Amino acid sequence: MKNALLEKAFEQIDAANAQDPTIELYQNVSFPKELLYSDRMYGQLLKFEADATEEIKIACKAQHICRWKIARDSYPLDRVGYLKWREELKKFHANTTANILESVGYDATFIDRVRFLIEKKQLKKDSGTQLLEDVICLVFLEFYLDDFVQKHDREKMKNIILKTWNKMSDKGHQYALTLPYSVPNLELIKEAIGA
């Protein structure tokens, strides 16, 4: 990564996410939760679409920037509350990232594109938004599926997997089936998608 602006943006995104008070243990190392998520998003992007645009790279890194600042329980704990929380988060992530990009010297057109991507506008129509969504789904399947499997029954899990699958592109589907799952999780995925 030779681009000076991109390096500065990544440094600030990482610094912001490093303040996450929630710590996650991965391979016996402690990480701030959203910093780990950010690194997983960027790593998955580079494996899935190595020549992604700079805007996509930043959108991936900043997808959950400072997410802990808007708690889920600050909204009603029902479906409507959940959807409102998710919408507010998208705007918050987009605005937080836009402020960073402006501070390091990106122009308004570039910033608007990153904001568009983080807000996940025109999913299935915009190739950049679709790429970001594919990476989000791949990161969920590779790193977070196990946690969900332990919390939900089989039918609920099949529903979650199918909803995830339906957000992805054909390329995303093909790649998802190559990820390193446990045998039971791979069987669950295949059952959910009818493969």
Side-chain angles (χ1 to χ4, degrees):
M1 187 172 62
K2 294 173 184 173
N3 183 322
L5 288 186
L6 188 62
E7 284 184 21
K8 285 180 187 172
F10 275 16
E11 280 171 15
Q12 289 202 29
I13 291 165
D14 284 347
N17 279 328
Q19 296 171 39
D20 190 349
T22 304
I23 300 301
E24 193 169 310
L25 198 63
Y26 179 63
Q27 295 180 340
N28 296 318
V29 180
S30 297
F31 296 91
K33 182 181 176 184
E34 296 307 344
L35 181 62
L36 180 60
Y37 179 80
S38 174
D39 287 344
R40 285 171 169 170
M41 284 287 294
Y42 187 63
Q44 194 75 270
L45 173 68
L46 294 183
K47 287 187 278 183
F48 181 65
E49 187 71 61
D51 59 350
T53 66
E54 203 168 317
E55 292 93 335
I56 294 279
K57 288 176 179 175
I58 290 169
C60 276
K61 280 287 281 181
Q63 174 63 21
H64 277 185
I65 191 168
C66 299
R67 172 162 271 210
W68 67 92
K69 292 187 177 182
I70 302 180
R72 170 66 186 96
D73 60 12
S74 59
Y75 290 81
L77 296 175
D78 55 16
R79 179 78 181 150
V80 174
Y82 173 76
L83 293 173
K84 277 188 178 176
W85 174 66
R86 290 292 300 269
E87 278 308 305
E88 281 305 306
L89 279 173
K90 280 188 214 172
K91 289 177 194 166
F92 170 71
H93 297 321
N95 289 336
T96 304
T97 308
N99 290 338
I100 286 172
L101 298 182
E102 191 174 358
S103 76
V104 301
Y106 280 103
D107 65 40
T109 304
F110 185 96
I111 294 169
D112 286 346
R113 177 63 180 160
V114 174
R115 187 190 291 276
F116 177 97
L117 292 166
I118 291 176
E119 291 184 9
K120 292 200 278 189
K121 294 185 177 175
Q122 294 185 20
L123 183 62
K124 299 282 185 188
K125 293 178 184 173
D126 182 274
S127 61
T129 303
Q130 185 58 57
L131 174 54
L132 178 62
E133 187 64 45
D134 278 344
V135 174
I136 291 165
C137 294
L138 292 168
V139 166
F140 167 72
L141 290 169
E142 182 168 359
F143 297 105
Y144 300 97
L145 182 63
D146 251 350
D147 291 343
F148 276 72
V149 167
Q150 291 166 30
K151 291 177 192 168
H152 302 291
D153 65 47
R154 192 168 186 86
E155 287 310 307
K156 172 83 170 171
M157 276 312 307
K158 281 161 61 176
N159 189 36
I160 289 169
I161 290 166
L162 189 58
K163 281 182 178 172
T164 302
W165 202 257
N166 288 339
K167 293 177 186 174
M168 298 168 74
S169 67
D170 290 340
K171 181 185 174 186
H173 292 157
Q174 290 167 17
Y175 189 87
L177 291 172
T178 71
L179 293 173
Y181 305 108
S182 66
V183 172
N185 283 356
L186 182 57
E187 285 173 2
L188 180 64
I189 290 167
K190 287 182 173 178
E191 195 178 322
I193 66 174

